[in-house]
Structures are given as C-alpha cells and as structure tokens.
Amino acid sequence: MTDVDAVLESAQLKNERAREYVRYWAGVTQADNIEVIGVADDERLIQEALDAKEILPAGEGLYYSRSYYKDTARSEERTIVATNDPADKGVYNNWHPAPEMKAKLTGLMRGASKGKTMYVIPYLMAAPGSPLEPYAAGVQLTDNRSVVLHMNRMARVGVEYINNLEDQDSFVRAVHVTGDLENLGQGTPEDKRYFVTVADERTILHFGSSYGGNALLGKIAHGLRQASYDGWASGTFLAEQFMLLGITDKQTGRRYHICGGFPSASGKTNLAMTLAPDALGDRYHVEFYGDDIAWMWVGDDGRLYGMNPEFGVFGVAKDTNEATNPTALDAIAPETKAIFTNVAYNEKTHEVWWEGRTQNPPADLDGWLDWKGHRIADRVPVEANDPWAHPNSRFTTTLANVPNVASDYADPKGVPIDAIIFGGRTRDREPLVRAITDLAEGVYDGLTLGAEATFAAEGVDGQLRYDPMSLRPFMSYPEGKYAAHWLKIVGQATEPPIFAHVNWFQRDAEDGHFLWPGYRDNLRALLWLMELREGEVAGVHTPVGIVPAKSELNLDGLAIKGADLDKLLTIDADRWRQEMKFRERHLAQFDGLPEEIWAAHRRVTAQFGD
Ligand code: OXD
Ligand code: MN
C-alpha cells in the first residue's frame, strides 16, 4: 500500500477535504496504488492501456475497447437514489434510505480494489467561471484505467478544478469500484451490482460495472441525478437530459438556441449534431453545443440560459453514417483520439464497423471479430444474423472534435434558450411540430412525453412508454416537486422560451412509409418554430398547440408529397381523445402534481370534446 499523502502531495492535490476523502476510500477499497489524473496523463495512460491490451488500436489515433459481455448498458433496475428523507421517494427514483445504501456499498467495496490502482480524477462539469460552477466540481475514484480514458474525454479533468473551490467541501464524491465482473450475477436474483446516488450527501457509489453508462460518474450520475437534485434543493437551476444546438440566420444575423429532450432511439444525437439541408445551407448555419445534458438557469437579464456541462460525446454508434450524422463521423476520424466500445473490430486492419455504418457489413470477413471478440468467419448458421456490434455500442470523443461545434461552446456565460422541444418516436398522433406558448402547458407536455416502447408493443393499445422530459432514468426526487420546480425556474424568466413537441417518425397507416424524410430536413420544423416566435408566421391553432400552415414551412429543395404533408400536420382527434385518457392515468401516479399542470391537462382535454 502506497503512502496516500505522499502521492497527493506530489500530485499537488491541495484540497484538504478531497485528501480526506481519498484517504478514506483508499482504506476501504485497499487498492495497491493511488494515482491522481490530469489531462496531461492521457497519452501515457493510452500507451499503458495498449500495452496491457485493455484497449486496441483502431486506426491512427483511434482506440477500441470491449466491455464484459454482461456489462454493456445502463442498468436501470440496479440504479438507486438514496437520501436521509423518506419524503424524497418518487415514482421513478427507486428511493432507498441513505444509511442502508452507504453500509451496503461500503461492504461491497471493501477490499474490492486489491491488486489494482485507484485513479483519482478531479473534474468539473461546467466551463470554468460558469454561474453553476459551485455545483460542478467532483472527484471520481475508479479502479479501471479505461474509465479514466473515457472520463478524460467526457469531463474537464485536473487538480486545478478542486484545489481552489470557495467551499472546499463542495465537490461531489464519486466512487467507482469495478468488482469481479464475472461473478456479479448480472440480471439474476443474486445481482450484486449497485449504482447509488446519495443525493443529499452529494455522494455517488457505483459498484459492479465498467461500462460507461454506469461508470462515467461525472456524466451519468453527477451531470443528471445529482445535479437535478442540487438544482431543486438550491432552488436555482434545472439539469436535464437535453441536447442543445444553435441556429444562425446569416441573412438577418439572428442567432437562436434550442434545447430539448428525446427518449432513447428518438434521434437526439443526430439532431444535436445536424447540419442545415443543402438547399438551406447558404442561409442557415447550425451549431452543436451538446447531445445529452443541459443545465439551465435564469440570468440577471431575465432570460433562461443553458449550457452543456460535458466535455465530450458518448454516442450510440448504431446507424451512425454519412446520411444520418456526418458530423459524428468527422468527430471520430483518425487522430481524434476517439474510443470505440463494443463495436465490431478487425484485428488485422484495425478497422471498426457497426450496424448501419454501411448498408451491408464488410464482404471480406478476414480478421473481423464481433463485439464479443468472436470471429465472424467462424459463425455457425444460427448465429448468421446476430449483430456484429452490440446495439448499444458507443463512440467517445471530445466536443471540440465535432466540426460544427459552436465557437462559444465553452463560454461560461452559457447561451440564452429560445425554445425547449420534446420529441418521442411515435408512428401516429404527434404531428411534425406543434408549438406551445403557455408555460404550464409546456411543462405538462414535457411530463407526458412518451415514445413507442418497442416494435412488438406497437399497436397493442397504442400506449406510449412515458418518459417525463426524458429524465425518467435520472429522476432524483418526486415528480410533483419536479413539475413545481420547472414552473418556478422557467416562470422566473421575463422572456420565456417557447415550447414545442416534434415528431420525425410519423408513418403512413396503410403502407408504413415514413411521412417525413427526417435527419437534416428536421431543421425545417425548427425554423418554422423560430419564425412563429418572431411573429413572422401565425400557424394553425389546435387543442395541443399551434401547427404550421402548409405554406409556412420552408420546403425549398425538398420533394414531399402533398398528401404526406397534410397528414404530418393533422391532429387526429380520436387518437388524441384516447391519448388524453392514458395521460390522465400517467399523471395520476405522481403525488402533489401542481394544480397548474392538472389545469393544463383539463384545458387540452376539454378542447377535444367527447
Ligand atoms: C444514456 C447515455 O445512457 O447518454 O442515456 O449514454
Ligand atoms: Mn443520455
């Protein structure tokens, strides 16, 4: 066991409270070595990880990693929010008492890093100087080198982010211990994995996974669960699973910023990184700020501001290609130092591939291994159609690698938010876009956000899987209080954002074709929304908001059938009457939902009549 103090001293980690914390967990986990990390260590750690075969080369300045085959996704069942107040129990936060969870996790972590190095990663989930900086500092401890490499890409890392904290105690304690992955009983009644955020103690304890979604604590647990709790407890901000983009109209010089939530598989990353359609590219420039998290607060000027607390993108690889997301491909090009996880890998050429990267997989199977490391050429007939890459395989790259990253993406002031949008993948009921100008109706719309659960469930009774504001897996406190907090924060804005609901996935009821081309053309719906906000178009009023008149959408360079466009902009009243009944049941689960939200629900319901 090394002398912890000597290591911290030589790494110039000066925050005394952080030192105490490192000392304590070094004692519990009994790691053999301690190492404090800064960005300058990345190159050396990459080389060490290559030498140890924890990662493999994937082209010039690109890397490949594989996680244990039973450890490839976020585990929602094993994720817990713990506090010292039973009143914090909500419908989705899987609440447990803090003392019980701390004892449990300390027990699981005791001695569990023996023989390993415990890396100390001081980080900041904000641009330095941000008004939310007091909530952004953390120190992740991990016994996994690959997790360190991912954290270096996903957060700002270095001792400088915690040494000079105004309140030395104000960093999040984020402890990650991998555990013996082959003996954790993943998915069985004996499952030993626990992913706990002790929200009122600002402590995160994750045991039993090295997959990013469970192990990158700055992003997943601090950036959303802890931050949303902090935002509520302090009464000052919102932390949401939102993308954030900017649109510049080069003709008028106006700039707009739009953020929004999308349940998984509803196109959030592709939208965040979108470019303008070719025909509109001369006039509009689209900029990328973030694909997954936005923290929002009201500035002194009465506007709602937003910022992406992350430093990188942990994106789903599946279906990423030149048509769906060309900027993502640029962001993972040679020399970007991107890391691929659980995609298919060619051990001879070091190429990577995933489903949807090209229409067909590489024809020459020589050297190709699937995400489990099994040779594709050796597959037996029953395995022939198994995917080469895991459906949740990922790429990890820094924001700065995204070619259209906004020039002010690291500005600590954040950007003023003009619109908040919600969009779940639904084959019917949701039009291309409907705008909502009333705050309570906007929050109500976010709370009733849903998407088709699975293909198999479609059409059974048409019920959506509701995912309020797309925060369901990260909800840290009761939903009624969450709704009230939204009304309070956005209600403070004197120039509030407009809300909208979008849907790129409507299909023809008869032959199932997508009515809207999607991808870059989605910008057309957002441009209409900005024109509506500017009072340049009036739209058509419906019970669920304002939809574009057909003539108001900019369709330059787009070939779309008039009949498809009609359907895209139509509200199916019968379908919506049914939807309102589902919504009522969904909202009724939440204790203490503000009366404004129920009133919004009743207003919309009444407009549809019986
Ligand atoms: C997620 C992610 O799992 O962003 O939501 O990775
Ligand atoms: Mn996410």
Side-chain angles (χ1 to χ4, degrees):
M1 176 76 209
T2 44
D3 178 347
V4 179
D5 285 301
V7 172
L8 301 180
E9 187 61 36
S10 88
Q12 306 205 14
L13 191 152
K14 296 194 189 307
N15 181 322
E16 192 44 52
R17 303 311 304 274
R19 285 187 178 211
E20 276 166 29
Y21 154 72
V22 174
R23 247 182 252 125
Y24 175 77
W25 286 101
V28 173
T29 64
Q30 296 167 32
D32 281 12
N33 298 301
I34 310 284
E35 210 183 290
V36 181
I37 298 302
V39 269
D41 296 307
D42 196 64
E43 214 168 303
R44 174 180 55 81
L45 292 169
I46 286 274
Q47 194 53 54
E48 287 176 13
L50 285 167
D51 293 344
K53 302 239 176 327
E54 290 161 5
I55 60 171
L56 300 169
E60 283 306 310
L62 294 174
Y63 309 100
Y64 176 65
S65 74
R66 214 176 261 137
S67 66
Y68 179 58
Y69 79 103
K70 291 183 184 168
D71 183 30
T72 54
R74 247 184 321 103
S75 167
E76 294 185 10
E77 334 70 77
R78 308 300 303 169
T79 300
I80 287 166
V81 173
T83 69
N84 294 281
D85 184 354
D88 289 340
K89 181 176 167 55
V91 175
Y92 295 134
N93 67 355
N94 200 8
W95 183 88
H96 283 65
E100 181 189 319
M101 282 298 116
K102 283 193 295 180
K104 173 120 213 146
L105 271 288
T106 308
L108 287 165
M109 289 177 176
R110 195 171 299 285
S113 303
K114 268 189 199 148
K116 298 185 179 179
T117 295
M118 183 172 99
Y119 298 95
V120 178
I121 315 172
Y123 66 82
L124 191 68
M125 299 303 290
S130 159
L132 296 185
E133 194 173 340
Y135 304 98
V139 180
Q140 173 160 353
L141 308 178
T142 179
D143 59 7
N144 190 295
R145 186 158 35 201
S146 175
V147 169
V148 181
L149 297 175
H150 283 79
M151 277 297 285
N152 276 345
R153 284 150 183 74
M154 295 304 298
R156 293 166 172 87
V157 167
V159 288
E160 63 273 29
Y161 298 121
I162 59 151
N163 277 345
N164 303 316
L165 295 177
E166 209 162 290
D167 169 2
Q168 289 278 293
D169 208 24
S170 66
F171 60 92
V172 167
R173 288 145 169 84
V175 187
H176 168 245
V177 172
T178 306
D180 179 7
L181 294 173
E182 289 174 26
N183 291 295
L184 295 177
Q186 292 92 339
T188 71
E190 281 76 49
D191 206 323
K192 292 192 181 59
R193 300 170 300 160
Y194 279 89
F195 308 120
V196 181
T197 299
V198 188
D200 57 351
E201 298 184 22
R202 306 193 77 225
T203 295
I204 298 163
L205 303 171
H206 279 210
F207 175 80
S209 168
S210 70
Y211 164 74
N214 303 312
L216 303 176
L217 304 189
K219 171 187 183 60
I220 221 84
H222 181 168
L224 288 167
R225 275 182 214 105
Q226 183 64 56
S228 63
Y229 191 90
D230 289 345
W232 169 63
S234 66
T236 54
F237 69 103
L238 298 166
E240 300 296 332
Q241 189 176 213
F242 280 5
M243 63 91 213
L244 173 56
L245 60 75
I247 304 172
T248 301
D249 180 341
K250 292 184 256 183
Q251 198 165 300
T252 61
R254 286 195 297 234
R255 288 190 84 195
Y256 303 102
H257 298 98
I258 300 177
C259 66
F262 294 72
S264 58
S266 297
K268 177 163 59 104
T269 301
N270 293 343
L271 178 66
M273 294 185 167
T274 196
L275 300 171
D278 284 336
L280 306 185
D282 284 345
R283 175 156 178 197
Y284 298 102
H285 177 56
V286 188
E287 288 175 309
F288 168 75
Y289 286 89
D291 72 318
D292 200 39
I293 305 181
W295 290 6
M296 288 174 287
W297 69 99
V298 174
D300 295 337
D301 59 359
R303 297 202 67 180
L304 184 71
Y305 280 79
M307 63 101 164
N308 173 14
E310 302 198 83
F311 193 62
V313 178
F314 181 58
V316 174
K318 187 171 189 297
D319 289 330
T320 302
N321 60 48
E322 282 79 2
T324 60
N325 197 338
T327 50
L329 292 185
D330 286 340
I332 54 180
E335 303 301 355
T336 54
K337 300 193 177 151
I339 304 174
F340 300 96
T341 306
N342 295 338
V343 299
Y345 178 70
N346 190 306
E347 60 181 349
K348 294 190 174 159
T349 63
H350 300 170
E351 291 164 285
V352 292
W353 189 84
W354 51 83
E355 273 63 30
R357 172 68 190 85
T358 49
Q359 203 176 1
N360 297 308
D364 180 1
L365 303 186
D366 190 33
W368 280 104
L369 307 176
D370 69 12
W371 65 275
K372 290 183 182 168
H374 299 160
R375 218 167 292 286
I376 305 274
D378 293 348
R379 284 187 165 183
V380 294
V382 288
E383 297 166 335
N385 292 326
D386 289 355
W388 287 29
H390 189 280
N392 189 37
S393 58
R394 300 282 177 143
F395 58 84
T396 306
T397 192
T398 54
L399 300 178
N401 283 327
V402 180
N404 64 329
V405 71
S407 53
D408 59 348
Y409 84 95
D411 187 336
K413 286 202 304 295
V415 292
I417 301 294
D418 297 285
I420 296 175
I421 64 177
F422 302 112
R425 176 188 284 265
T426 44
R427 60 169 51 226
D428 62 11
R429 98 197 76 178
E430 285 295 356
L432 178 66
V433 53
R434 52 185 177 86
I436 299 163
T437 52
D438 174 78
L439 169 60
E441 284 178 25
V443 174
Y444 162 72
D445 197 70
L447 295 172
T448 52
L449 173 61
E452 281 157 2
T454 62
F455 191 76
E458 269 172 38
V460 178
D461 62 358
Q463 227 180 320
L464 303 178
R465 177 185 188 269
Y466 291 110
D467 182 352
M469 306 268 185
S470 75
L471 200 68
R472 179 172 164 156
F474 303 99
M475 202 63 91
S476 57
Y477 61 99
E479 292 75 8
K481 291 172 181 161
Y482 172 80
H485 184 54
W486 257 88
L487 293 172
K488 173 182 149 175
I489 295 290
V490 185
Q492 287 165 354
T494 48
E495 216 182 303
I498 192 168
F499 286 85
H501 200 110
V502 298
N503 179 24
W504 323 130
F505 301 100
Q506 255 193 97
R507 287 174 184 254
D508 183 89
E510 258 106 67
D511 66 14
H513 78 269
F514 283 107
L515 299 177
W516 180 250
Y519 306 115
R520 290 163 69 170
D521 289 306
N522 295 340
L523 189 74
R524 299 172 193 274
L526 303 186
L527 294 175
W528 171 82
L529 182 63
M530 292 302 98
E531 284 173 15
L532 182 76
R533 181 166 164 76
E534 295 286 354
E536 292 166 3
V537 293
V540 177
H541 287 253
T542 81
V544 280
I546 305 167
V547 300
K550 233 160 86 170
S551 60
E552 291 172 351
L553 280 175
N554 183 339
L555 300 177
D556 288 354
L558 180 69
I560 183 167
K561 285 203 219 101
D564 284 357
L565 196 57
D566 285 334
K567 281 188 216 150
L568 279 163
L569 302 176
T570 304
I571 302 293
D572 177 345
D574 285 341
R575 196 75 167 108
W576 272 95
R577 276 186 208 104
Q578 184 194 33
E579 173 62 25
M580 296 312 284
K581 296 199 177 90
F582 296 146
R583 286 182 168 195
E584 184 140 341
R585 285 211 297 267
H586 162 64
L587 293 178
Q589 307 170 83
F590 305 140
D591 285 340
L593 206 59
E595 174 49 30
E596 292 99 305
I597 301 297
W598 280 118
H601 175 71
R602 287 194 298 270
R603 263 197 314 279
V604 176
T605 308
Q607 287 182 66
F608 279 117
D610 291 326

